């Protein structure tokens, strides 16, 4: 029997083959028990501090905002061990996996950041790890693939369908349908069947908690807006979590606009998707008029997903969070700007959020406004993609 | 009397055999050729049909079925042509039970009530939605009752007693018993289903049980029926033939041979 509510409004649920339901119930039970357990929380806090390097700083972008009255702070999840926020929740899920006595871990990855984080944790905890990754993503994220391999993970290329994250997700779920008795499925984002959206949010809340304490200390007030990129939505839900109850704070999610919202090459499921059922949940989905799942597209592999976590769909439906799109070129531009002005190389995912913040700043340069942008990861993994794009632009 | 009831009653009263339900994807590999395959299946031993509506992301199915879906898409099959094909089959074969397997998003997008209405117009007897477990099934189940279509539920090999009680309350038409964990597809290894599950189900309900997932060998089929199932569902072993051969004649010949073998395997059990 499920204990937690599996829905956020009308979004969420457990739309998986019947065989996986007991495994999801077991996971929910262990998650609830662990949350209450002192030892689990102590172990997790220790790992977050001593292994991952929390708390991460909140950095003011002084140069970027020069000559304006806007103050943009960036939450430095890029400085976390592994290079992205993904480490937070996989540490916790790794401990859940040990609690469940599972020795094998299945994961899926797009940009490779989740794959890297899972590989790290599996090495650390002595777990066997296999990671599904779209063949297209393997090609564009070579460095992360190498990292995962170095840490002992087996990478399974997925060539069917669009060869990207969506197909890797299908394959991971298929694998789990046959191996749930011995394998732990370490889902990478706040999406998928219940209880994953709740688990991932719980363990990403730390980003919001730290940000709130830090901004109050630095500015003695809450920000006007918290801005984060949204693929599946884990970094965004993590940083939003502490601000949801503060209605004065705008919550802004930024989706992949890809080649443009007027094309079919984007990943803006909240902006242009429709409610449907896919990847174990009811949420907003990019789909055809017949209910087939559309391929998404983004320069950033981590945002290249045709759906989104159910809590985001709910926050949008009740008007608490707003979601906008930034296209590939705008994200690239923001990527370069942060490199040049602040000496920080952001992940292409995070560059989407930053781009929207810059847009808001430019729209009203005289307005006194205070933003926090979640810099969900660092951009080393994207250098090849950015390099190729810049070369093209120069030509 | 419903077509399923008629079929299972007939099987009980007059025959000493299990039923054979082939599964193929609607429109695979093309509109007209699919209809020819259906003719071969029905003429050579199919007691009922289980037909998959092509879906882009069939997470409960293995690569063989996924490729069949892609072939159907390539041939231009969409939901309207699916219904048109189903309608043609129903007109030609008014008595055979026809079930469809369809993923939740297609039903949801079509609007649940409209989808079931359309199925009812076409003469569909049952609907199985592999990514809707019993826990999420209520809106679909309500429509199935309204439209007098059997909602088919899957009984997995890890079912516990409370699930078996639940499925027994909801089940209509037949219960789809899954041979093993995982997704659909042919496997070399044989799986035996749990005798306790069958006995418990039989204690709680008289709805017939059909076994599916990877079952295609003579011994597996006989064992299944001996243990108390009413028959078997075979998919990947047939779809593999469509995948393997390009020549129409050869495909039809091979499918004919295979379906005859499968039907024969369901006979003279006791």
């Amino acid at each position: 029997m499920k204990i937690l509510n599996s829905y956020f409004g009308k979004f969420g649920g457990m739309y998986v083959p019947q065989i996986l339901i007991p495994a999801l119930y077991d996971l929910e039970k262990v998650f609830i028990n662990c949350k209450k357990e002192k030892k689990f929380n102590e172990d997790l806090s220790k790992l977050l501090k001593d292994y991952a390097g929390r708390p991460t700083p909140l950095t003011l972008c002084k140069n970027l905002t020069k000559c304006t009255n806007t103050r943009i702070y960036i939450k430095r999840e890029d400085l976390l061990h592994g290079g992205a926020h993904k480490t937070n929740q996989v540490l916790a899920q790794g401990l859940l996996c040990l609690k469940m006595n599972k020795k094998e871990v299945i994961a899926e990855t797009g940009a490779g950041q989740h794959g890297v984080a899972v590989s790290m944790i599996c090495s650390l905890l002595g777990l066997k790890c296999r990671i599904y990754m779209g063949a297209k993503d393997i090609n564009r994220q070579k460095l992360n693939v190498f990292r995962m391999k170095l840490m002992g993970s087996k990478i399974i290329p997925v060539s069917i369908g669009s060869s990207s994250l969506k197909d890797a997700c299908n394959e991971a779920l298929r694998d789990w349908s046959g191996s749930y008795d011995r394998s732990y499925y370490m889902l990478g984002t706040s999406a998928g069947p219940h209880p994953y959206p709740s688990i991932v949010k719980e363990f990403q809340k730390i980003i919001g908690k730290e940000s709130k304490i830090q901004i109050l200390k630095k500015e003695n007030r809450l920000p006007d807006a918290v801005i984060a990129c949204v693929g599946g939505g884990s970094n965004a839900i993590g940083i939003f979590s502490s601000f949801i109850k503060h209605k004065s704070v705008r919550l802004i999610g930024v989706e992949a606009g890809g080649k443009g919202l007027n094309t079919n090459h984007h990943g803006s499921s909240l902006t242009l998707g429709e409610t449907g059922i896919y990847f174990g949940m009811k949420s907003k989905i990019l789909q055809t008029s017949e209910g087939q799942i559309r391929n998404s597209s983004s320069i950033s592999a981590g945002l290249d997903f045709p759906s989104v976590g159910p809590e985001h769909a709910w926050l949008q439906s009740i008007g608490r969070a707003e979601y906008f799109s930034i296209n590939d070129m705008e994200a690239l531009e923001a990527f370069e700007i942060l490199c040049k002005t602040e000496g920080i190389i952001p992940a292409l995912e995070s560059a989407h959020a930053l781009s929207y913040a810059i847009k808001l700043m430019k729209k009203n340069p005289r307005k006194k406004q205070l933003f926090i942008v979640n810099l969900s990861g660092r951009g080393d993994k994207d250098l090849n993609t950015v390099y190729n794009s810049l070369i093209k632009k120069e030509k | 009397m419903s077509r399923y009831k008629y079929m299972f009653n007939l099987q009980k009263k007059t025959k000493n055999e299990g039923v054979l339900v082939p599964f193929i994807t609607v429109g695979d590999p093309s509109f007209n050729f699919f209809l020819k395959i259906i003719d071969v299946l029905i003429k050579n031993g199919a007691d009922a049909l289980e037909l998959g509506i092509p879906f882009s992301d069939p997470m409960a199915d293995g690569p063989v079925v996924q490729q069949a879906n892609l072939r159907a898409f390539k041939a231009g099959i969409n939901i309207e042509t699916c219904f048109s094909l189903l309608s043609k089959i129903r007109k030609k074969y008014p008595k055979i039970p026809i079930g469809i397997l369809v993923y939740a998003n297609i039903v949801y997008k079509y609007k649940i009530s409209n989808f079931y209405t359309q199925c009812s117009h076409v003469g569909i007897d049952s609907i199985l939605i592999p990514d809707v477990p019993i826990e999420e099934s209520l809106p679909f189940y309500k429509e199935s009752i309204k439209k007098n279509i059997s909602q088919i539920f899957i009984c997995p090999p890890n079912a516990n007693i409370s699930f078996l009680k639940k499925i027994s309350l909801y089940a209509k038409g037949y219960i789809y018993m899954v041979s093993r964990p995982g997704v659909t597809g042919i496997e070399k290894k044989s799986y035996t289903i749990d005798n306790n599950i069958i006995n418990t189900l039989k204690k709680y309900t008289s709805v017939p049980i059909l076994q599916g997932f990877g079952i295609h060998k003579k011994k597996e089929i006989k064992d299944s029926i001996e243990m108390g199932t009413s028959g078997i569902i075979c998919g990947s072993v047939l779809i593999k033939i469509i995948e393997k051969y390009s020549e129409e004649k050869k495909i039809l010949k091979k499918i004919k041979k295979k379906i005859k073998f499968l039907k024969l395997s369901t006979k003279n059990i006791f």
Side-chain angles (χ1 to χ4, degrees):
Chain A
M1 277 253 317
K2 68 174 184 268
I3 309 157
L4 299 170
N5 187 3
S6 58
Y7 277 86
F8 303 89
K10 67 170 182 173
F11 303 102
M14 304 166 96
Y15 294 89
V16 291
Q18 191 73 55
I19 199 163
L20 285 177
I21 295 291
L24 292 170
Y25 286 165
D26 283 349
L27 176 62
E28 184 189 47
K29 213 163 79 186
V30 172
F31 166 61
I32 291 167
N33 290 338
C34 284
K35 259 202 328 175
K36 290 185 278 193
E37 200 187 280
K38 198 178 164 202
K39 171 92 170 52
F40 177 88
N41 287 308
E42 278 172 3
D43 288 349
L44 180 59
S45 296
K46 203 166 173 235
L47 282 173
L48 286 168
K49 183 169 168 265
D50 298 337
Y51 183 77
R54 296 214 76 92
T56 57
L58 190 70
T59 306
L60 177 65
C61 297
K62 279 185 191 156
N63 303 323
L64 177 70
T65 52
K66 219 176 239 173
C67 306
T68 76
N69 285 324
T70 300
R71 287 168 79 77
I72 296 179
Y73 280 90
I74 48 178
K75 179 62 176 162
R76 303 295 304 279
E77 293 302 291
D78 59 314
L79 293 179
L80 205 63
H81 176 49
H85 71 290
K86 300 284 184 185
T87 307
N88 298 322
Q89 71 101 5
V90 294
L91 281 173
Q93 284 205 57
L95 295 180
L96 291 181
C97 174
L98 291 183
K99 282 272 174 199
M100 297 180 88
N101 285 321
K102 305 272 172 86
K103 305 277 182 249
E104 293 176 24
V105 169
I106 308 163
E108 82 300 311
T109 195
Q113 284 307 100
H114 176 58
V116 167
V118 173
S119 302
M120 276 165 22
I121 271 56
C122 287
S123 293
L124 183 73
L125 303 178
L127 299 161
K128 205 172 157 189
C129 176
R130 55 185 180 278
I131 295 172
Y132 290 89
M133 193 168 183
K136 192 172 99 183
D137 292 336
I138 287 181
N139 194 40
R140 61 178 166 173
Q141 300 292 345
K142 283 181 186 137
L143 202 60
N144 270 346
V145 172
F146 185 56
R147 278 193 187 114
M148 289 180 250
K149 283 183 179 169
L150 276 177
M151 290 184 276
S153 292
K154 186 181 173 192
I155 313 299
I156 305 171
V158 180
S159 302
I160 205 158
S162 61
S163 305
S164 67
L165 180 57
K166 142 176 137 70
D167 307 286
C169 288
N170 291 340
E171 285 305 320
L173 269 177
R174 283 171 174 164
D175 181 330
W176 201 37
S177 300
S179 64
Y180 58 85
D181 56 342
R182 62 178 188 280
S183 303
Y184 181 97
Y185 180 20
M186 201 170 278
L187 209 149
T189 191
S190 57
H194 173 77
Y196 283 106
S198 298
I199 290 179
V200 174
K201 180 189 181 183
E202 178 64 29
F203 298 124
Q204 291 293 6
K205 273 181 182 171
I206 192 153
I207 310 173
K209 276 183 198 162
E210 282 178 15
S211 301
K212 191 176 164 187
I213 295 167
Q214 289 164 326
I215 198 78
L216 287 173
K217 203 169 172 190
K218 284 173 191 286
E219 295 283 338
N220 201 25
R221 77 172 182 97
L222 290 172
D224 297 305
V226 174
I227 305 167
C229 63
V230 178
S234 68
N235 88 87
I237 208 69
I239 197 162
F240 286 177
S241 60
S242 289
F243 301 97
I244 292 175
K245 63 179 177 198
H246 300 289
K247 299 281 164 62
S248 66
V249 181
R250 281 179 76 188
L251 304 177
I252 298 175
V254 185
E255 299 191 285
K259 291 190 168 74
L261 294 189
N262 54 342
T263 71
N264 273 332
H265 304 283
H266 61 80
S268 298
S269 48
L270 284 160
T271 313
L272 290 179
E274 287 173 73
T275 303
I277 297 166
Y278 165 66
F279 190 46
M281 62 182 171
K282 189 183 278 183
S283 189
K284 298 288 283 290
I285 305 168
L286 294 176
Q287 53 183 306
T288 67
S289 58
E290 298 214 327
Q292 307 293 349
I293 311 303
R294 273 190 197 282
N295 289 335
S296 56
S297 171
S298 171
I299 191 166
S300 158
L303 302 184
D304 194 352
F305 189 61
S307 189
V308 64
E311 192 169 357
H312 286 291
W314 175 67
L315 287 171
Q316 183 194 40
S317 73
I318 59 166
R320 178 62 192 100
E322 305 155 76
Y323 297 88
F324 302 97
S325 296
I326 284 293
N327 67 35
D328 291 347
M329 294 317 291
E330 291 170 318
L332 272 170
E333 205 181 318
F335 180 99
E336 282 189 86
I337 290 173
L338 197 71
C339 293
K340 281 180 185 153
T341 57
E342 305 291 343
I344 295 168
I345 303 175
L348 274 173
E349 288 86 342
S350 319
H352 284 73
L354 187 72
S355 172
Y356 195 78
I358 296 171
K359 236 182 196 179
L360 282 179
M361 176 179 79
K362 284 186 176 168
K363 202 173 158 189
N364 226 331
R366 302 232 167 134
K367 191 177 172 186
K368 258 193 160 184
Q369 45 192 356
L370 177 62
F371 301 149
I372 299 177
V373 173
N374 196 15
L375 207 76
S376 57
R378 65 170 178 243
D380 308 36
K381 66 181 175 68
D382 296 317
L383 290 182
N384 204 25
T385 307
V386 175
Y387 178 80
N388 289 336
S389 302
L390 294 181
I391 293 285
K392 261 188 213 165
K393 211 164 84 179
E394 275 172 21
K395 278 180 185 171
Chain B
M1 188 186 286
S2 81
R3 292 185 189 95
Y4 277 121
K5 236 178 188 166
Y6 183 80
M7 175 184 75
F8 286 120
N9 278 350
L10 194 72
Q11 173 221 7
K12 262 192 215 164
K13 281 179 195 163
T14 63
K15 296 177 184 174
N16 177 25
E17 65 186 55
V19 300
L20 171 64
V21 186
F23 170 88
I24 56 172
T25 297
V26 179
D28 175 29
S30 69
F31 193 96
N32 289 323
F33 190 29
F34 167 76
L35 290 172
K36 286 184 195 168
I37 294 171
I38 293 289
D39 287 340
V40 169
L41 292 174
I42 293 175
K43 280 175 191 156
N44 293 283
D47 296 298
L49 296 172
E50 183 75 13
L51 302 171
I53 306 290
F55 182 54
S56 54
D57 295 76
M59 68 148 141
D61 288 294
V64 174
V65 174
Q66 184 162 12
Q67 289 296 354
N69 290 350
L70 295 176
R71 279 196 299 276
F73 286 138
K74 212 172 169 190
I77 300 298
N78 56 32
I79 193 72
E80 291 310 319
T81 47
C82 279
F83 278 125
S84 155
L85 280 163
L86 292 167
S87 166
K88 278 180 194 293
I89 299 167
R90 172 51 74 221
K91 272 179 195 146
K92 195 166 178 184
Y93 302 101
K95 287 184 182 165
I96 194 162
I98 302 175
I100 59 166
L101 180 146
V102 59
Y103 279 83
N105 199 49
I106 290 180
V107 183
Y108 192 80
K109 178 73 185 175
Y110 208 91
K111 289 206 167 55
I112 301 175
S113 139
N114 291 349
F115 189 87
Y116 279 77
T117 303
Q118 183 70 4
C119 286
S120 171
H121 287 161
V122 171
I124 296 301
D125 299 290
S126 70
I127 297 180
L128 190 165
I129 312 178
D131 53 347
V132 174
I134 216 161
E135 289 75 4
E136 301 286 0
S137 64
L138 200 59
F140 302 89
Y141 192 71
K142 277 183 183 167
E143 285 305 318
S144 77
I145 299 289
K146 272 191 217 163
K147 305 291 164 19
N148 202 21
I149 291 171
S150 301
Q151 190 73 31
I152 303 300
F153 291 108
I154 286 181
C155 179
N158 60 352
N160 61 19
I161 191 84
S162 78
F163 176 80
L164 295 176
K165 280 183 186 169
K166 202 169 180 180
I167 196 175
S168 302
L169 280 176
Y170 282 78
K172 305 263 184 225
Y174 68 90
I175 289 170
Y176 191 133
M177 171 151 298
V178 167
S179 316
R180 51 155 172 78
V183 292
T184 57
I186 309 165
E187 272 189 42
K188 282 179 188 157
K189 194 180 163 189
S190 288
Y191 284 89
T192 315
I193 41 173
D194 190 339
N195 215 358
N196 288 333
I197 292 185
I198 295 182
N199 292 338
T200 313
L201 278 175
K202 291 204 154 188
K203 202 168 94 183
Y204 293 126
T205 178
S206 58
V207 173
I209 303 162
L210 296 180
Q211 188 189 346
F213 272 44
I215 184 166
H216 60 101
K217 291 176 192 159
K218 193 173 179 178
K219 189 176 178 317
E220 291 169 344
I221 297 169
K222 286 196 180 300
D223 285 351
S224 175
I225 297 164
E226 256 176 12
M227 266 204 243
T229 71
S230 296
I232 54 148
I233 300 174
C234 284
S236 298
V237 74
L238 297 164
I239 298 171
K240 197 86 186 159
I241 295 171
I242 305 173
E243 183 181 273
K244 193 171 173 188
Y245 301 98
S246 50
E247 202 191 323
E248 271 197 23
K249 262 188 186 171
K250 198 157 196 177
I251 292 175
L252 295 177
K253 201 175 144 194
K254 293 269 179 190
I255 285 183
K256 184 176 172 182
K257 198 177 160 194
K258 184 60 77 179
I259 197 85
K260 276 188 161 176
F261 162 79
L262 293 169
K263 185 62 219 172
L264 197 66
S265 304
T266 68
K267 290 184 179 180
N268 304 318
I269 305 288
F270 303 103

